[in-house]
Amino acid sequence: MIHESVDKAKKGSSCPSQSGGQNMDARQQQEEIAIKASLSKIKHKIFVLSGKGGVGKSSVSANLAASLSKKGYKTGLMDVDVHGPSIAQMLGLTGIMDISENQLLIPKQVNGNLKVVSVQSLMQDQDQAIIWRGPAKTGMIKQFVSSVDWGELDFLIIDAPPGTGDEPLTVVQTIPDALGVIVTTPQEVALADIRKSISFCKTVRLKTLGIVENMASFKCPHCNEPIDLFSSGGGEKTAKAQGLEFLGSIPFDTQVVVSGDKGIPVMFQDEETEFTKAFETIVENITKQL
C-alpha cells in the first residue's frame, strides 16, 4: 500500500515499491470501491498529456492548477510522471507526505485551494532513481486516487509523462471521465508526436478539450519584435485538421523558467504579461466547455 511506501521513505529506505500479493483479489475490490468513492467527490478531471517530452506539459499543468485555485476553485494536482516528476519542484514542495489516521495519504497543501500529490514526495532522497516496471507504476497511479485524501474538489489536474504507454493508459482506465488537454510546440517534429497523442485519445475514447500550443513566439528584449523559436501556428493547424478545439498559444517567456526554479508558478503572480494573458485565454477556453 502507498502508506507503506511513505513509512519506508521516512525510515530511510530506498525506492518505494508495491507490497506483496496477499489477499490480492480482496485488495483489488477494496481499491476499486475506494477509487469510485474518491472520484465521486471530484467534479472535473483534466488530463494534460503530450506525445513528446520537452514541450512544457508540466509547466502547463502547474500553471493551470495555479490559475484555477487562484480563481477560487478547489483544485488538486496529481503528478503521475513516475520517472521524472517535476511538479513538486515547480510548486516549491519539499519533504515527505504524511498519512492520516484512516491510512490515507495527505496531499501537500500549496494554498487554501490547491493540494498536490507527486511520487517525489514519497522519496527521502530526491535524486533517487525510480526503477519500476509497468505493474508497479500502474499500482501507484491507482493508489494516487484510491489512497489519497483528496476530499471535495472542483478540478483534478493530472500531469502525465510523455508518450502513450503505461501511465496515460492507467489514468484513462482509472478515471474514465477524464478530459484531455494536449500540449505541443509549433514545430513539425513535436506535431508528429502530438498526432499520435490524438490517435491515442481517439483509440481509448478519451474526450479531448483541445490543443495548447506552448513556447510560441519570443519577444526580443532588444527590439521588441517577435521571434518564432520553434516555428509558429503548427498547433492551431493541427487542431483544425484533426477537428479539435484550439485552446490557445502561449509565448515563450524566460520568467517561466525562473518561476519554475523558484517553485512559484507564473499564474500565482499578480503582474500581467503576454504569458499570463495568453494563459488566461486558455483557462477560459477550457472552463467554458465544462
Side-chain angles (χ1 to χ4, degrees), residues 2 34 37-39 41-42 75-78 97-109 114-117 142-153 156:
I2 198 168
S38 181
L39 293 177
K41 301 176 184 178
I42 303 171
T75 307
L77 177 54
M78 185 169 77
M97 291 179 283
D98 289 321
I99 296 293
S100 67
E101 292 182 358
N102 56 347
Q103 296 298 294
L104 290 178
L105 189 67
I106 301 174
K108 288 285 186 178
Q109 199 77 36
L114 178 57
K115 53 184 72 172
V116 178
V117 165
K142 287 185 176 182
Q143 288 186 30
F144 272 3
V145 179
S146 66
S147 300
V148 171
D149 187 9
W150 288 110
E152 301 280 346
L153 293 178
L156 176 64

PDB file of all heavy atoms in Angstrom, residues 2 34 37-39 41-42 75-78 97-109 114-117 142-153 156:
ATOM      1  N   ILE A   2       0.261   2.345  -0.414  1.00  0.00           N
ATOM      2  CA  ILE A   2       1.028   3.569  -0.578  1.00  0.00           C
ATOM      3  C   ILE A   2       1.532   4.117   0.753  1.00  0.00           C
ATOM      4  O   ILE A   2       2.621   4.674   0.837  1.00  0.00           O
ATOM      5  CB  ILE A   2       0.175   4.615  -1.319  1.00  0.00           C
ATOM      6  CG1 ILE A   2       1.078   5.709  -1.895  1.00  0.00           C
ATOM      7  CG2 ILE A   2      -0.883   5.216  -0.434  1.00  0.00           C
ATOM      8  CD1 ILE A   2       0.356   6.594  -2.871  1.00  0.00           C
ATOM      9  N   ALA A  34     -12.709   2.240  -3.354  1.00  0.00           N
ATOM     10  CA  ALA A  34     -12.096   3.484  -2.895  1.00  0.00           C
ATOM     11  C   ALA A  34     -11.905   4.467  -4.043  1.00  0.00           C
ATOM     12  O   ALA A  34     -12.083   5.683  -3.878  1.00  0.00           O
ATOM     13  CB  ALA A  34     -10.752   3.188  -2.228  1.00  0.00           C
ATOM     14  N   ALA A  37     -15.264   6.033  -4.842  1.00  0.00           N
ATOM     15  CA  ALA A  37     -15.654   6.958  -3.775  1.00  0.00           C
ATOM     16  C   ALA A  37     -14.877   8.260  -3.883  1.00  0.00           C
ATOM     17  O   ALA A  37     -15.441   9.359  -3.724  1.00  0.00           O
ATOM     18  CB  ALA A  37     -15.427   6.313  -2.411  1.00  0.00           C
ATOM     19  N   SER A  38     -13.584   8.163  -4.161  1.00  0.00           N
ATOM     20  CA  SER A  38     -12.750   9.358  -4.283  1.00  0.00           C
ATOM     21  C   SER A  38     -13.144  10.196  -5.487  1.00  0.00           C
ATOM     22  O   SER A  38     -13.299  11.420  -5.392  1.00  0.00           O
ATOM     23  CB  SER A  38     -11.274   8.954  -4.382  1.00  0.00           C
ATOM     24  OG  SER A  38     -10.437  10.074  -4.477  1.00  0.00           O
ATOM     25  N   LEU A  39     -13.334   9.548  -6.635  1.00  0.00           N
ATOM     26  CA  LEU A  39     -13.670  10.272  -7.861  1.00  0.00           C
ATOM     27  C   LEU A  39     -15.053  10.911  -7.800  1.00  0.00           C
ATOM     28  O   LEU A  39     -15.301  11.935  -8.449  1.00  0.00           O
ATOM     29  CB  LEU A  39     -13.587   9.334  -9.066  1.00  0.00           C
ATOM     30  CG  LEU A  39     -12.185   8.825  -9.428  1.00  0.00           C
ATOM     31  CD1 LEU A  39     -12.269   7.849 -10.598  1.00  0.00           C
ATOM     32  CD2 LEU A  39     -11.259   9.989  -9.774  1.00  0.00           C
ATOM     33  N   LYS A  41     -16.237  12.609  -5.572  1.00  0.00           N
ATOM     34  CA  LYS A  41     -16.148  13.908  -4.897  1.00  0.00           C
ATOM     35  C   LYS A  41     -15.447  14.965  -5.756  1.00  0.00           C
ATOM     36  O   LYS A  41     -15.271  16.099  -5.322  1.00  0.00           O
ATOM     37  CB  LYS A  41     -15.391  13.761  -3.571  1.00  0.00           C
ATOM     38  CG  LYS A  41     -16.025  12.792  -2.587  1.00  0.00           C
ATOM     39  CD  LYS A  41     -15.152  12.647  -1.350  1.00  0.00           C
ATOM     40  CE  LYS A  41     -15.706  11.616  -0.386  1.00  0.00           C
ATOM     41  NZ  LYS A  41     -14.817  11.435   0.803  1.00  0.00           N
ATOM     42  N   ILE A  42     -15.039  14.563  -6.974  1.00  0.00           N
ATOM     43  CA  ILE A  42     -14.295  15.473  -7.849  1.00  0.00           C
ATOM     44  C   ILE A  42     -15.137  15.784  -9.081  1.00  0.00           C
ATOM     45  O   ILE A  42     -15.505  14.878  -9.834  1.00  0.00           O
ATOM     46  CB  ILE A  42     -12.954  14.840  -8.269  1.00  0.00           C
ATOM     47  CG1 ILE A  42     -12.126  14.480  -7.025  1.00  0.00           C
ATOM     48  CG2 ILE A  42     -12.171  15.791  -9.167  1.00  0.00           C
ATOM     49  CD1 ILE A  42     -10.889  13.650  -7.327  1.00  0.00           C
ATOM     50  N   THR A  75      -8.857  22.777  -6.058  1.00  0.00           N
ATOM     51  CA  THR A  75      -8.098  22.135  -7.124  1.00  0.00           C
ATOM     52  C   THR A  75      -7.078  21.148  -6.569  1.00  0.00           C
ATOM     53  O   THR A  75      -6.398  21.429  -5.581  1.00  0.00           O
ATOM     54  CB  THR A  75      -7.362  23.196  -7.973  1.00  0.00           C
ATOM     55  OG1 THR A  75      -8.296  24.176  -8.424  1.00  0.00           O
ATOM     56  CG2 THR A  75      -6.680  22.562  -9.174  1.00  0.00           C
ATOM     57  N   GLY A  76      -6.967  20.005  -7.227  1.00  0.00           N
ATOM     58  CA  GLY A  76      -5.930  19.034  -6.919  1.00  0.00           C
ATOM     59  C   GLY A  76      -5.024  18.874  -8.129  1.00  0.00           C
ATOM     60  O   GLY A  76      -5.475  19.011  -9.277  1.00  0.00           O
ATOM     61  N   LEU A  77      -3.757  18.601  -7.894  1.00  0.00           N
ATOM     62  CA  LEU A  77      -2.793  18.374  -8.971  1.00  0.00           C
ATOM     63  C   LEU A  77      -2.079  17.062  -8.687  1.00  0.00           C
ATOM     64  O   LEU A  77      -1.424  16.908  -7.656  1.00  0.00           O
ATOM     65  CB  LEU A  77      -1.797  19.533  -9.042  1.00  0.00           C
ATOM     66  CG  LEU A  77      -0.663  19.426 -10.073  1.00  0.00           C
ATOM     67  CD1 LEU A  77      -1.198  19.164 -11.475  1.00  0.00           C
ATOM     68  CD2 LEU A  77       0.180  20.704 -10.044  1.00  0.00           C
ATOM     69  N   MET A  78      -2.221  16.109  -9.599  1.00  0.00           N
ATOM     70  CA  MET A  78      -1.658  14.776  -9.428  1.00  0.00           C
ATOM     71  C   MET A  78      -0.576  14.545 -10.472  1.00  0.00           C
ATOM     72  O   MET A  78      -0.856  14.557 -11.673  1.00  0.00           O
ATOM     73  CB  MET A  78      -2.756  13.718  -9.550  1.00  0.00           C
ATOM     74  CG  MET A  78      -2.294  12.305  -9.276  1.00  0.00           C
ATOM     75  SD  MET A  78      -3.685  11.150  -9.112  1.00  0.00           S
ATOM     76  CE  MET A  78      -4.153  10.927 -10.824  1.00  0.00           C
ATOM     77  N   MET A  97       5.186  13.342   2.235  1.00  0.00           N
ATOM     78  CA  MET A  97       3.776  13.480   2.604  1.00  0.00           C
ATOM     79  C   MET A  97       3.449  12.661   3.852  1.00  0.00           C
ATOM     80  O   MET A  97       4.077  11.634   4.119  1.00  0.00           O
ATOM     81  CB  MET A  97       2.883  13.042   1.435  1.00  0.00           C
ATOM     82  CG  MET A  97       2.937  13.994   0.262  1.00  0.00           C
ATOM     83  SD  MET A  97       1.903  13.470  -1.131  1.00  0.00           S
ATOM     84  CE  MET A  97       2.915  12.176  -1.828  1.00  0.00           C
ATOM     85  N   ASP A  98       2.452  13.113   4.585  1.00  0.00           N
ATOM     86  CA  ASP A  98       2.020  12.427   5.796  1.00  0.00           C
ATOM     87  C   ASP A  98       0.831  11.513   5.523  1.00  0.00           C
ATOM     88  O   ASP A  98       0.201  11.579   4.454  1.00  0.00           O
ATOM     89  CB  ASP A  98       1.642  13.446   6.876  1.00  0.00           C
ATOM     90  CG  ASP A  98       2.866  14.157   7.446  1.00  0.00           C
ATOM     91  OD1 ASP A  98       3.892  13.490   7.623  1.00  0.00           O
ATOM     92  OD2 ASP A  98       2.784  15.374   7.694  1.00  0.00           O
ATOM     93  N   ILE A  99       0.518  10.678   6.511  1.00  0.00           N
ATOM     94  CA  ILE A  99      -0.593   9.746   6.426  1.00  0.00           C
ATOM     95  C   ILE A  99      -1.605  10.089   7.515  1.00  0.00           C
ATOM     96  O   ILE A  99      -1.249  10.354   8.655  1.00  0.00           O
ATOM     97  CB  ILE A  99      -0.106   8.290   6.607  1.00  0.00           C
ATOM     98  CG1 ILE A  99       0.834   7.905   5.463  1.00  0.00           C
ATOM     99  CG2 ILE A  99      -1.264   7.316   6.675  1.00  0.00           C
ATOM    100  CD1 ILE A  99       0.184   7.831   4.114  1.00  0.00           C
ATOM    101  N   SER A 100      -2.884  10.090   7.143  1.00  0.00           N
ATOM    102  CA  SER A 100      -3.939  10.397   8.110  1.00  0.00           C
ATOM    103  C   SER A 100      -4.206   9.199   9.012  1.00  0.00           C
ATOM    104  O   SER A 100      -3.693   8.100   8.786  1.00  0.00           O
ATOM    105  CB  SER A 100      -5.225  10.788   7.376  1.00  0.00           C
ATOM    106  OG  SER A 100      -5.750   9.674   6.673  1.00  0.00           O
ATOM    107  N   GLU A 101      -5.053   9.396  10.015  1.00  0.00           N
ATOM    108  CA  GLU A 101      -5.377   8.319  10.954  1.00  0.00           C
ATOM    109  C   GLU A 101      -6.079   7.153  10.269  1.00  0.00           C
ATOM    110  O   GLU A 101      -5.960   6.011  10.698  1.00  0.00           O
ATOM    111  CB  GLU A 101      -6.254   8.867  12.087  1.00  0.00           C
ATOM    112  CG  GLU A 101      -5.524   9.833  13.016  1.00  0.00           C
ATOM    113  CD  GLU A 101      -6.408  10.314  14.148  1.00  0.00           C
ATOM    114  OE1 GLU A 101      -7.605   9.915  14.173  1.00  0.00           O
ATOM    115  OE2 GLU A 101      -5.925  11.083  14.988  1.00  0.00           O
ATOM    116  N   ASN A 102      -6.831   7.464   9.205  1.00  0.00           N
ATOM    117  CA  ASN A 102      -7.508   6.384   8.485  1.00  0.00           C
ATOM    118  C   ASN A 102      -6.677   5.866   7.304  1.00  0.00           C
ATOM    119  O   ASN A 102      -7.197   5.300   6.345  1.00  0.00           O
ATOM    120  CB  ASN A 102      -8.893   6.830   8.009  1.00  0.00           C
ATOM    121  CG  ASN A 102      -8.834   8.079   7.150  1.00  0.00           C
ATOM    122  OD1 ASN A 102      -7.809   8.750   7.087  1.00  0.00           O
ATOM    123  ND2 ASN A 102      -9.932   8.396   6.493  1.00  0.00           N
ATOM    124  N   GLN A 103      -5.343   6.071   7.400  1.00  0.00           N
ATOM    125  CA  GLN A 103      -4.388   5.493   6.456  1.00  0.00           C
ATOM    126  C   GLN A 103      -4.548   6.024   5.025  1.00  0.00           C
ATOM    127  O   GLN A 103      -4.339   5.284   4.056  1.00  0.00           O
ATOM    128  CB  GLN A 103      -4.475   3.966   6.465  1.00  0.00           C
ATOM    129  CG  GLN A 103      -4.079   3.337   7.790  1.00  0.00           C
ATOM    130  CD  GLN A 103      -2.628   3.640   8.164  1.00  0.00           C
ATOM    131  OE1 GLN A 103      -1.711   3.199   7.496  1.00  0.00           O
ATOM    132  NE2 GLN A 103      -2.435   4.401   9.230  1.00  0.00           N
ATOM    133  N   LEU A 104      -4.882   7.294   4.897  1.00  0.00           N
ATOM    134  CA  LEU A 104      -4.927   7.940   3.587  1.00  0.00           C
ATOM    135  C   LEU A 104      -3.771   8.930   3.485  1.00  0.00           C
ATOM    136  O   LEU A 104      -3.406   9.585   4.460  1.00  0.00           O
ATOM    137  CB  LEU A 104      -6.257   8.671   3.378  1.00  0.00           C
ATOM    138  CG  LEU A 104      -7.501   7.800   3.198  1.00  0.00           C
ATOM    139  CD1 LEU A 104      -8.735   8.674   3.042  1.00  0.00           C
ATOM    140  CD2 LEU A 104      -7.358   6.862   1.998  1.00  0.00           C
ATOM    141  N   LEU A 105      -3.228   9.023   2.292  1.00  0.00           N
ATOM    142  CA  LEU A 105      -2.149   9.960   2.045  1.00  0.00           C
ATOM    143  C   LEU A 105      -2.693  11.387   2.071  1.00  0.00           C
ATOM    144  O   LEU A 105      -3.723  11.682   1.458  1.00  0.00           O
ATOM    145  CB  LEU A 105      -1.523   9.663   0.684  1.00  0.00           C
ATOM    146  CG  LEU A 105      -0.243  10.386   0.304  1.00  0.00           C
ATOM    147  CD1 LEU A 105       0.904   9.944   1.193  1.00  0.00           C
ATOM    148  CD2 LEU A 105       0.078  10.127  -1.159  1.00  0.00           C
ATOM    149  N   ILE A 106      -2.006  12.263   2.772  1.00  0.00           N
ATOM    150  CA  ILE A 106      -2.429  13.666   2.858  1.00  0.00           C
ATOM    151  C   ILE A 106      -1.661  14.464   1.810  1.00  0.00           C
ATOM    152  O   ILE A 106      -0.425  14.561   1.883  1.00  0.00           O
ATOM    153  CB  ILE A 106      -2.160  14.243   4.256  1.00  0.00           C
ATOM    154  CG1 ILE A 106      -2.910  13.427   5.312  1.00  0.00           C
ATOM    155  CG2 ILE A 106      -2.555  15.713   4.317  1.00  0.00           C
ATOM    156  CD1 ILE A 106      -2.583  13.837   6.735  1.00  0.00           C
ATOM    157  N   PRO A 107      -2.344  15.045   0.818  1.00  0.00           N
ATOM    158  CA  PRO A 107      -1.630  15.816  -0.212  1.00  0.00           C
ATOM    159  C   PRO A 107      -0.901  17.012   0.379  1.00  0.00           C
ATOM    160  O   PRO A 107      -1.280  17.538   1.427  1.00  0.00           O
ATOM    161  CB  PRO A 107      -2.764  16.278  -1.141  1.00  0.00           C
ATOM    162  CG  PRO A 107      -3.924  15.377  -0.852  1.00  0.00           C
ATOM    163  CD  PRO A 107      -3.794  15.014   0.591  1.00  0.00           C
ATOM    164  N   LYS A 108       0.128  17.438  -0.310  1.00  0.00           N
ATOM    165  CA  LYS A 108       0.825  18.654   0.067  1.00  0.00           C
ATOM    166  C   LYS A 108      -0.077  19.858  -0.239  1.00  0.00           C
ATOM    167  O   LYS A 108      -0.623  19.961  -1.339  1.00  0.00           O
ATOM    168  CB  LYS A 108       2.137  18.781  -0.706  1.00  0.00           C
ATOM    169  CG  LYS A 108       3.221  17.807  -0.268  1.00  0.00           C
ATOM    170  CD  LYS A 108       3.831  18.248   1.052  1.00  0.00           C
ATOM    171  CE  LYS A 108       5.005  17.375   1.421  1.00  0.00           C
ATOM    172  NZ  LYS A 108       5.661  17.808   2.674  1.00  0.00           N
ATOM    173  N   GLN A 109      -0.221  20.753   0.719  1.00  0.00           N
ATOM    174  CA  GLN A 109      -1.088  21.924   0.547  1.00  0.00           C
ATOM    175  C   GLN A 109      -0.245  23.102   0.076  1.00  0.00           C
ATOM    176  O   GLN A 109       0.699  23.524   0.754  1.00  0.00           O
ATOM    177  CB  GLN A 109      -1.786  22.262   1.859  1.00  0.00           C
ATOM    178  CG  GLN A 109      -3.013  23.126   1.704  1.00  0.00           C
ATOM    179  CD  GLN A 109      -4.236  22.355   1.218  1.00  0.00           C
ATOM    180  OE1 GLN A 109      -4.440  21.200   1.592  1.00  0.00           O
ATOM    181  NE2 GLN A 109      -5.050  22.994   0.384  1.00  0.00           N
ATOM    182  N   LEU A 114      -5.350  24.709  -3.307  1.00  0.00           N
ATOM    183  CA  LEU A 114      -4.561  23.799  -4.147  1.00  0.00           C
ATOM    184  C   LEU A 114      -3.794  22.782  -3.311  1.00  0.00           C
ATOM    185  O   LEU A 114      -3.049  23.137  -2.400  1.00  0.00           O
ATOM    186  CB  LEU A 114      -3.581  24.603  -5.010  1.00  0.00           C
ATOM    187  CG  LEU A 114      -2.642  23.787  -5.915  1.00  0.00           C
ATOM    188  CD1 LEU A 114      -3.432  22.889  -6.866  1.00  0.00           C
ATOM    189  CD2 LEU A 114      -1.720  24.721  -6.699  1.00  0.00           C
ATOM    190  N   LYS A 115      -3.987  21.512  -3.640  1.00  0.00           N
ATOM    191  CA  LYS A 115      -3.260  20.421  -2.993  1.00  0.00           C
ATOM    192  C   LYS A 115      -2.633  19.536  -4.066  1.00  0.00           C
ATOM    193  O   LYS A 115      -3.179  19.385  -5.174  1.00  0.00           O
ATOM    194  CB  LYS A 115      -4.183  19.616  -2.074  1.00  0.00           C
ATOM    195  CG  LYS A 115      -5.458  19.104  -2.726  1.00  0.00           C
ATOM    196  CD  LYS A 115      -6.378  18.394  -1.744  1.00  0.00           C
ATOM    197  CE  LYS A 115      -7.040  19.332  -0.780  1.00  0.00           C
ATOM    198  NZ  LYS A 115      -8.077  18.647   0.051  1.00  0.00           N
ATOM    199  N   VAL A 116      -1.488  18.938  -3.727  1.00  0.00           N
ATOM    200  CA  VAL A 116      -0.667  18.257  -4.734  1.00  0.00           C
ATOM    201  C   VAL A 116      -0.185  16.905  -4.223  1.00  0.00           C
ATOM    202  O   VAL A 116       0.172  16.764  -3.054  1.00  0.00           O
ATOM    203  CB  VAL A 116       0.557  19.127  -5.103  1.00  0.00           C
ATOM    204  CG1 VAL A 116       1.438  18.404  -6.123  1.00  0.00           C
ATOM    205  CG2 VAL A 116       0.119  20.476  -5.633  1.00  0.00           C
ATOM    206  N   VAL A 117      -0.150  15.928  -5.131  1.00  0.00           N
ATOM    207  CA  VAL A 117       0.443  14.623  -4.855  1.00  0.00           C
ATOM    208  C   VAL A 117       1.437  14.309  -5.969  1.00  0.00           C
ATOM    209  O   VAL A 117       1.125  14.425  -7.150  1.00  0.00           O
ATOM    210  CB  VAL A 117      -0.631  13.523  -4.770  1.00  0.00           C
ATOM    211  CG1 VAL A 117       0.020  12.151  -4.859  1.00  0.00           C
ATOM    212  CG2 VAL A 117      -1.416  13.637  -3.485  1.00  0.00           C
ATOM    213  N   LYS A 142      -3.010   4.136  -9.463  1.00  0.00           N
ATOM    214  CA  LYS A 142      -4.321   3.816  -8.901  1.00  0.00           C
ATOM    215  C   LYS A 142      -4.402   4.236  -7.438  1.00  0.00           C
ATOM    216  O   LYS A 142      -5.432   4.743  -6.973  1.00  0.00           O
ATOM    217  CB  LYS A 142      -4.605   2.316  -9.039  1.00  0.00           C
ATOM    218  CG  LYS A 142      -4.925   1.879 -10.450  1.00  0.00           C
ATOM    219  CD  LYS A 142      -5.306   0.405 -10.492  1.00  0.00           C
ATOM    220  CE  LYS A 142      -5.729  -0.008 -11.898  1.00  0.00           C
ATOM    221  NZ  LYS A 142      -6.144  -1.431 -11.945  1.00  0.00           N
ATOM    222  N   GLN A 143      -3.313   4.032  -6.710  1.00  0.00           N
ATOM    223  CA  GLN A 143      -3.316   4.411  -5.300  1.00  0.00           C
ATOM    224  C   GLN A 143      -3.291   5.924  -5.116  1.00  0.00           C
ATOM    225  O   GLN A 143      -3.736   6.429  -4.085  1.00  0.00           O
ATOM    226  CB  GLN A 143      -2.129   3.765  -4.586  1.00  0.00           C
ATOM    227  CG  GLN A 143      -2.314   2.262  -4.417  1.00  0.00           C
ATOM    228  CD  GLN A 143      -1.211   1.626  -3.586  1.00  0.00           C
ATOM    229  OE1 GLN A 143      -0.644   2.256  -2.714  1.00  0.00           O
ATOM    230  NE2 GLN A 143      -0.927   0.367  -3.877  1.00  0.00           N
ATOM    231  N   PHE A 144      -2.800   6.656  -6.111  1.00  0.00           N
ATOM    232  CA  PHE A 144      -2.858   8.111  -6.040  1.00  0.00           C
ATOM    233  C   PHE A 144      -4.302   8.608  -6.076  1.00  0.00           C
ATOM    234  O   PHE A 144      -4.570   9.751  -5.725  1.00  0.00           O
ATOM    235  CB  PHE A 144      -2.075   8.726  -7.197  1.00  0.00           C
ATOM    236  CG  PHE A 144      -0.615   8.936  -6.899  1.00  0.00           C
ATOM    237  CD1 PHE A 144      -0.061   8.543  -5.698  1.00  0.00           C
ATOM    238  CD2 PHE A 144       0.207   9.548  -7.828  1.00  0.00           C
ATOM    239  CE1 PHE A 144       1.277   8.735  -5.415  1.00  0.00           C
ATOM    240  CE2 PHE A 144       1.552   9.757  -7.563  1.00  0.00           C
ATOM    241  CZ  PHE A 144       2.089   9.348  -6.353  1.00  0.00           C
ATOM    242  N   VAL A 145      -5.210   7.756  -6.513  1.00  0.00           N
ATOM    243  CA  VAL A 145      -6.641   8.090  -6.468  1.00  0.00           C
ATOM    244  C   VAL A 145      -7.297   7.453  -5.248  1.00  0.00           C
ATOM    245  O   VAL A 145      -7.981   8.119  -4.469  1.00  0.00           O
ATOM    246  CB  VAL A 145      -7.360   7.620  -7.752  1.00  0.00           C
ATOM    247  CG1 VAL A 145      -8.851   7.961  -7.681  1.00  0.00           C
ATOM    248  CG2 VAL A 145      -6.737   8.253  -8.984  1.00  0.00           C
ATOM    249  N   SER A 146      -7.065   6.164  -5.061  1.00  0.00           N
ATOM    250  CA  SER A 146      -7.788   5.417  -4.017  1.00  0.00           C
ATOM    251  C   SER A 146      -7.282   5.683  -2.611  1.00  0.00           C
ATOM    252  O   SER A 146      -8.055   5.633  -1.649  1.00  0.00           O
ATOM    253  CB  SER A 146      -7.711   3.914  -4.304  1.00  0.00           C
ATOM    254  OG  SER A 146      -6.367   3.447  -4.191  1.00  0.00           O
ATOM    255  N   SER A 147      -5.990   5.951  -2.466  1.00  0.00           N
ATOM    256  CA  SER A 147      -5.397   6.051  -1.132  1.00  0.00           C
ATOM    257  C   SER A 147      -5.004   7.471  -0.747  1.00  0.00           C
ATOM    258  O   SER A 147      -4.178   7.677   0.139  1.00  0.00           O
ATOM    259  CB  SER A 147      -4.155   5.146  -1.041  1.00  0.00           C
ATOM    260  OG  SER A 147      -4.505   3.800  -1.284  1.00  0.00           O
ATOM    261  N   VAL A 148      -5.580   8.454  -1.424  1.00  0.00           N
ATOM    262  CA  VAL A 148      -5.282   9.858  -1.152  1.00  0.00           C
ATOM    263  C   VAL A 148      -6.534  10.567  -0.664  1.00  0.00           C
ATOM    264  O   VAL A 148      -7.626  10.384  -1.202  1.00  0.00           O
ATOM    265  CB  VAL A 148      -4.734  10.564  -2.418  1.00  0.00           C
ATOM    266  CG1 VAL A 148      -4.630  12.061  -2.199  1.00  0.00           C
ATOM    267  CG2 VAL A 148      -3.374   9.999  -2.800  1.00  0.00           C
ATOM    268  N   ASP A 149      -6.376  11.365   0.353  1.00  0.00           N
ATOM    269  CA  ASP A 149      -7.488  12.138   0.901  1.00  0.00           C
ATOM    270  C   ASP A 149      -7.662  13.427   0.096  1.00  0.00           C
ATOM    271  O   ASP A 149      -7.317  14.521   0.550  1.00  0.00           O
ATOM    272  CB  ASP A 149      -7.224  12.455   2.377  1.00  0.00           C
ATOM    273  CG  ASP A 149      -8.419  13.109   3.054  1.00  0.00           C
ATOM    274  OD1 ASP A 149      -9.500  13.161   2.434  1.00  0.00           O
ATOM    275  OD2 ASP A 149      -8.259  13.583   4.201  1.00  0.00           O
ATOM    276  N   TRP A 150      -8.221  13.309  -1.121  1.00  0.00           N
ATOM    277  CA  TRP A 150      -8.426  14.474  -1.978  1.00  0.00           C
ATOM    278  C   TRP A 150      -9.571  15.354  -1.468  1.00  0.00           C
ATOM    279  O   TRP A 150      -9.562  16.570  -1.641  1.00  0.00           O
ATOM    280  CB  TRP A 150      -8.724  14.055  -3.411  1.00  0.00           C
ATOM    281  CG  TRP A 150      -7.565  13.503  -4.169  1.00  0.00           C
ATOM    282  CD1 TRP A 150      -7.367  12.211  -4.575  1.00  0.00           C
ATOM    283  CD2 TRP A 150      -6.415  14.232  -4.624  1.00  0.00           C
ATOM    284  NE1 TRP A 150      -6.179  12.090  -5.249  1.00  0.00           N
ATOM    285  CE2 TRP A 150      -5.567  13.311  -5.297  1.00  0.00           C
ATOM    286  CE3 TRP A 150      -6.014  15.563  -4.527  1.00  0.00           C
ATOM    287  CZ2 TRP A 150      -4.359  13.698  -5.876  1.00  0.00           C
ATOM    288  CZ3 TRP A 150      -4.799  15.944  -5.105  1.00  0.00           C
ATOM    289  CH2 TRP A 150      -3.992  15.021  -5.759  1.00  0.00           C
ATOM    290  N   GLY A 151     -10.571  14.740  -0.865  1.00  0.00           N
ATOM    291  CA  GLY A 151     -11.726  15.497  -0.409  1.00  0.00           C
ATOM    292  C   GLY A 151     -12.564  15.991  -1.578  1.00  0.00           C
ATOM    293  O   GLY A 151     -12.520  15.449  -2.682  1.00  0.00           O
ATOM    294  N   GLU A 152     -13.347  17.042  -1.330  1.00  0.00           N
ATOM    295  CA  GLU A 152     -14.196  17.628  -2.374  1.00  0.00           C
ATOM    296  C   GLU A 152     -13.356  18.557  -3.249  1.00  0.00           C
ATOM    297  O   GLU A 152     -12.713  19.480  -2.755  1.00  0.00           O
ATOM    298  CB  GLU A 152     -15.339  18.415  -1.736  1.00  0.00           C
ATOM    299  CG  GLU A 152     -16.231  17.592  -0.817  1.00  0.00           C
ATOM    300  CD  GLU A 152     -17.260  16.773  -1.583  1.00  0.00           C
ATOM    301  OE1 GLU A 152     -17.446  17.050  -2.799  1.00  0.00           O
ATOM    302  OE2 GLU A 152     -17.871  15.872  -0.978  1.00  0.00           O
ATOM    303  N   LEU A 153     -13.364  18.312  -4.563  1.00  0.00           N
ATOM    304  CA  LEU A 153     -12.610  19.144  -5.497  1.00  0.00           C
ATOM    305  C   LEU A 153     -13.486  19.597  -6.657  1.00  0.00           C
ATOM    306  O   LEU A 153     -14.374  18.868  -7.110  1.00  0.00           O
ATOM    307  CB  LEU A 153     -11.416  18.376  -6.070  1.00  0.00           C
ATOM    308  CG  LEU A 153     -10.266  17.982  -5.141  1.00  0.00           C
ATOM    309  CD1 LEU A 153      -9.218  17.196  -5.932  1.00  0.00           C
ATOM    310  CD2 LEU A 153      -9.640  19.199  -4.487  1.00  0.00           C
ATOM    311  N   LEU A 156      -9.442  18.267 -10.731  1.00  0.00           N
ATOM    312  CA  LEU A 156      -8.236  17.479 -10.515  1.00  0.00           C
ATOM    313  C   LEU A 156      -7.455  17.530 -11.818  1.00  0.00           C
ATOM    314  O   LEU A 156      -7.917  17.063 -12.858  1.00  0.00           O
ATOM    315  CB  LEU A 156      -8.557  16.027 -10.163  1.00  0.00           C
ATOM    316  CG  LEU A 156      -7.337  15.110 -10.011  1.00  0.00           C
ATOM    317  CD1 LEU A 156      -6.466  15.561  -8.835  1.00  0.00           C
ATOM    318  CD2 LEU A 156      -7.759  13.645  -9.826  1.00  0.00           C
TER     319      LEU A 156
END
